[in-house]
Amino acid sequence: MKIRQSTPSDRAEILEIHNLSFGTEEGPVIAKLVDDLFEDVSASPILSLVAEIDDQLLGHILFTKAIISQTEASVSAQLLAPLAVIPKAQGKGIGSELINEGLRQLNASGIKLVFVLGHPTYYPRCGFNPAGKVGFEAPYPIPEKNADAWMVLELNGDALGNVRGKVQCCDALDKPQYWRE
């Protein structure tokens, strides 16, 4: 398997990955979000990676710019959203490999924090921990029963414990329907 940065020619296939991965109801919504994120200048810089075997794309991950407000410190941050692997390739470690490669590239570029709203038993395998417990508020309120789904990972530096605040996402993600777990 090869993980590489996506290209504009991958776009239709990337959108289909999200359509297939999230099912008939949610798939088109997530695919439109991805399409919107690619066009959203407030999301930049973005990191878009695909997993490929024999010239077939099996998975996609997208990281977009995040800003931490209500803090005096300036910290570089990204938001992981969304991650998708086609159904026939799920459970084979492709999602984890996409996450880990994305985190490696973000770390190399100097990003300090990565946030995600996702399954609280999946993302901790890659090092994510509940963000609310260390003082980071999501762009929209997360119900208490789902608080552990809002997570953060520190890539480098000492931001955790020294920085707190509200995370602001790009315009395309700044809608309450994307902030439910």
Side-chain angles (χ1 to χ4, degrees), residues 40-102:
D40 185 349
V41 295
S42 71
S44 185
I46 68 170
L47 176 60
S48 175
L49 301 174
V50 292
E52 177 180 60
I53 295 178
D54 298 329
D55 296 323
Q56 180 188 8
L57 299 187
L58 303 175
H60 175 251
I61 193 168
L62 192 59
F63 296 88
T64 56
K65 181 180 179 180
I67 297 171
I68 302 170
S69 65
Q70 302 173 357
T71 186
E72 293 179 14
S74 176
V75 177
S76 57
Q78 291 274 306
L79 186 66
L80 186 171
L83 166 66
V85 176
I86 62 171
K88 72 178 184 179
Q90 291 176 2
K92 298 179 180 177
I94 294 170
S96 294
E97 288 194 41
L98 282 165
I99 293 168
N100 290 329
E101 178 58 21

Side-chain angles (χ1 to χ4, degrees), residues 4-15 35 38-39 48 50 57:
R4 62 171 174 80
Q5 290 199 13
S6 70
T7 64
S9 64
D10 295 325
R11 195 162 175 168
E13 204 170 347
I14 287 170
L15 298 179
D35 206 33
F38 280 137
E39 298 297 324
S48 175
V50 292
L57 299 187

Side-chain angles (χ1 to χ4, degrees), residues 60-180:
H60 175 251
I61 193 168
L62 192 59
F63 296 88
T64 56
K65 181 180 179 180
I67 297 171
I68 302 170
S69 65
Q70 302 173 357
T71 186
E72 293 179 14
S74 176
V75 177
S76 57
Q78 291 274 306
L79 186 66
L80 186 171
L83 166 66
V85 176
I86 62 171
K88 72 178 184 179
Q90 291 176 2
K92 298 179 180 177
I94 294 170
S96 294
E97 288 194 41
L98 282 165
I99 293 168
N100 290 329
E101 178 58 21
L103 295 175
R104 187 194 68 70
Q105 289 187 32
L106 291 172
N107 186 35
S109 72
I111 298 297
K112 299 207 179 299
L113 298 174
V114 179
F115 294 90
V116 67
L117 177 65
H119 202 283
T121 61
Y122 181 76
Y123 290 95
R125 291 188 260 171
C126 295
F128 286 88
N129 292 296
K133 291 180 182 174
V134 290
F136 293 104
E137 186 181 337
Y140 287 87
I142 306 295
E144 185 60 36
K145 66 179 182 155
N146 297 332
D148 286 349
W150 172 237
M151 293 173 265
V152 63
L153 173 67
E154 183 173 47
L155 294 176
N156 59 60
D158 59 353
L160 291 183
N162 293 318
V163 177
R164 302 173 162 269
K166 183 171 183 170
V167 177
Q168 295 179 304
C169 58
C170 64
D171 295 341
L173 268 173
D174 195 13
K175 296 171 178 67
Q177 67 264 28
Y178 297 131
W179 295 94
R180 289 178 260 172

